[in-house]
Amino acid sequence: MVQASHVKDLVAPVSLLDTLKAIDAGTLTPAQSIETCLQRLALVEQHIHAFVSINGHAIAEAEEAKGPLAGIALAVKDIFETRSLATEYNSPIYRGHEPVRDAALVTMANKTGSTVIGKSVTTEFAFLDPGQTRNPHNIKHTPGGSSSGSAAAIASGMAHLAFGTQTGGSIIRPAAYCGVTGYKPSYGLLPKVGIKDFSWTLDTAGLFAAKVADCAFAASAITGRNLQVDPEANFKQPKLGIIRCRTWQEADADYVARFEAMVTSLKRFGTEVIELEPSEHFLGAFKAHQIIQDYEASQALAWEYAHHADQLSPLLRQTLDFAQTITPSDYDEALICTRAAKRELNEQFEDVDALLSLSAQGPAPEGLTSTGSPIFNRIWTLLHTPCVNVTGLETESGLPLGVQLIGPEGEDQSTLQIAHWLEGAILRHLRG
């Protein structure tokens, strides 16, 4: 049995592509693949608490599965509607809630042959109040939020693929904390039908997997779009930019030093990395995010607030209380600022192929009472750009440190391709 004190025994991400290769080679069947994930789950879930429910028919479903993702175990964040598993949003208001349909993205995944292995833990309505999930790299540390269960399920090898959502930083940050790939697509690339709204302008569905190529392949299979990365492509080194603003002053010093050392290596490898100045509206958009999020949340959760306020967490209730003071004109001005910031950012992308940033404020904080800060993610969610957490860096104690790659809106395939290249460049940097 895995011992909770043996931290690294809990970390075992499994490549989706490697699994599919084994199935194609005939050394593994789809049902055996799902059974292996369930065996892993039985071994480590007692320490990680990544799931709120498990699909008891998963192996039988895998035996009948057909499609490019047959044999792939999928963890679904518990704000996605699922017909066969309760959807509770981590709220007592919806305890035992059984939707009559699957979310659109779940239906799309089912068509690829993937098997929903279970519903993964979310924070309450995908906001800030933590769930019970622990970080596989150190169970005394947060896995991040709100897609905590999804990131932890991938990091611990209980699933090959997981669905999450990001309103502030809920894909990139938990991916960074748990040392896995998180892909937040351009806004709207993955449908949100059947996902509980918090902020319709910000909420973005995305994926977790072991590596960038795994996320890219799965996204291609599910959407029918050309999003795969090509390891054999005649790849031209990208021109990268860094936009530093006041958030960098709040970052962990050791994290920043490791990031800067990586940037130095990229330049030594021949990559051009330039500093870009934050625009006026870019800086203003940080405030705009909060206004838009809270104003829309007050409407998205209006029924819950009106009829079940006593069953909301104090943190969410306080946020919705404050949101009542935001006027429509405040909201409209925030949207105007956002549109201006997007125009200015698009102009800056004329000079670079992608941007580099930290994925979080630091490594996963100790304790389970907070999911960490999204200050390095909110702006990119607001501006609807594709973002990828790229793995490889870590602290002296072995906690993961992510590198966030940001691409132009709508340029998801090239962003994933650059992220795949960066993944290899970080390994080269670490080898010296």
Side-chain angles (χ1 to χ4, degrees):
M1 179 179 292
V2 173
Q3 298 298 315
S5 59
H6 296 166
V7 174
K8 289 301 181 183
D9 290 342
L10 300 176
V11 180
V14 180
S15 167
L16 177 152
L17 284 173
D18 287 350
T19 300
L20 292 176
K21 287 176 183 176
I23 292 171
D24 288 343
T27 59
L28 185 71
T29 68
Q32 288 170 338
S33 173
I34 299 303
E35 185 176 13
T36 298
C37 286
L38 289 170
Q39 289 170 346
R40 177 68 180 170
L41 189 150
L43 194 63
V44 303
E45 169 63 1
Q46 61 185 311
H47 304 300
I48 305 299
H49 307 296
F51 289 95
V52 292
S53 60
I54 304 300
N55 179 7
H57 305 287
I59 295 175
E61 290 174 9
E63 289 174 344
E64 303 297 324
K66 291 181 175 60
L69 298 183
I72 295 305
L74 171 64
V76 177
K77 183 177 180 178
D78 196 28
I79 63 166
F80 288 71
E81 291 181 347
T82 46
R83 188 170 51 84
S84 59
L85 294 169
T87 303
E88 299 180 336
Y89 317 113
N90 197 7
S91 169
I93 300 169
Y94 290 93
R95 198 67 67 223
H97 172 58
E98 297 182 356
V100 297
R101 65 172 183 177
D102 288 331
L105 195 53
V106 174
T107 299
M108 291 165 69
N110 286 338
K111 289 181 179 179
T112 69
S114 64
T115 300
V116 174
I117 200 167
K119 298 298 288 291
S120 52
V121 172
T122 177
T123 57
E124 177 196 29
F125 295 118
F127 190 49
L128 297 175
D129 201 47
Q132 67 268 36
T133 308
R134 297 165 180 261
N135 192 319
H137 289 264
N138 188 324
I139 61 173
K140 295 181 180 179
H141 290 242
T142 179
S146 61
S147 306
S148 48
S150 292
I154 297 299
S156 55
M158 293 187 278
H160 306 105
L161 179 67
F163 287 160
T165 60
Q166 179 160 309
T167 304
S170 299
I171 292 174
I172 300 300
R173 188 173 79 262
Y177 285 173
C178 292
V180 300
T181 301
Y183 166 44
K184 183 198 78 67
S186 294
Y187 177 82
L189 181 71
L190 299 180
K192 296 188 295 179
V193 178
I195 301 174
K196 180 68 172 173
D197 272 325
F198 194 86
S199 168
W200 54 86
T201 298
L202 302 171
D203 296 344
T204 309
L207 308 178
F208 296 88
K211 296 297 181 182
V212 175
D214 297 320
C215 275
F217 184 89
S220 294
I222 291 168
T223 64
R225 296 174 180 270
N226 177 24
L227 296 170
Q228 293 187 50
V229 300
D230 182 359
E232 307 301 324
N234 185 16
F235 185 68
K236 178 185 175 183
Q237 285 211 39
K239 184 177 181 181
L240 303 175
I242 300 175
I243 301 177
R244 301 178 198 269
C245 47
R246 61 180 179 270
T247 56
W248 286 75
Q249 300 170 8
E250 302 178 42
D252 176 81
D254 178 67
Y255 186 9
V256 173
R258 293 176 188 275
F259 177 89
E260 299 295 357
M262 178 209 67
V263 170
T264 298
S265 290
L266 293 180
K267 292 177 179 178
R268 191 174 71 249
F269 301 157
T271 307
E272 186 176 1
V273 183
I274 64 173
E275 299 284 338
L276 299 171
E277 290 296 321
S279 69
E280 176 186 353
H281 290 103
F282 182 89
L283 294 173
F286 282 89
K287 181 179 179 182
H289 178 281
Q290 192 74 48
I291 293 170
I292 292 168
Q293 173 190 271
D294 292 355
Y295 182 85
E296 293 184 352
S298 71
Q299 297 180 39
L301 297 175
W303 180 82
E304 291 85 353
Y305 182 70
H307 298 284
H308 295 281
D310 60 327
Q311 292 182 279
L312 301 174
S313 69
L315 185 59
L316 178 54
R317 193 164 60 247
Q318 290 166 14
T319 298
L320 295 177
D321 287 344
F322 172 76
Q324 312 309 308
T325 69
I326 301 173
T327 66
S329 61
D330 293 334
Y331 174 70
D332 292 344
E333 287 176 12
L335 291 174
I336 291 169
C337 176
T338 300
R339 288 193 289 270
K342 289 180 76 169
R343 286 194 300 270
E344 292 166 350
L345 181 64
N346 288 337
E347 291 173 1
Q348 290 183 303
F349 271 124
E350 293 176 2
D351 298 322
V352 296
D353 299 302
L355 299 171
L356 287 173
S357 182
L358 306 178
S359 289
Q361 195 173 10
E366 186 170 2
L368 303 175
T369 58
S370 168
T371 62
S373 171
I375 61 172
F376 280 90
N377 317 119
R378 286 174 177 158
I379 188 70
W380 311 118
T381 311
L382 177 67
L383 299 181
H384 294 171
T385 57
C387 302
V388 183
N389 177 68
V390 182
T391 62
L393 300 183
E394 61 180 29
T395 67
E396 286 293 334
S397 63
L399 286 175
L401 296 168
V403 176
Q404 185 175 198
L405 186 86
I406 303 110
E409 183 178 5
E411 298 293 333
D412 287 61
Q413 196 280 330
S414 63
T415 301
L416 287 162
Q417 187 73 52
I418 295 170
H420 176 68
W421 164 84
L422 180 61
E423 195 174 59
I426 291 174
L427 287 177
R428 185 180 172 191
H429 156 69
L430 295 173
R431 291 169 184 154

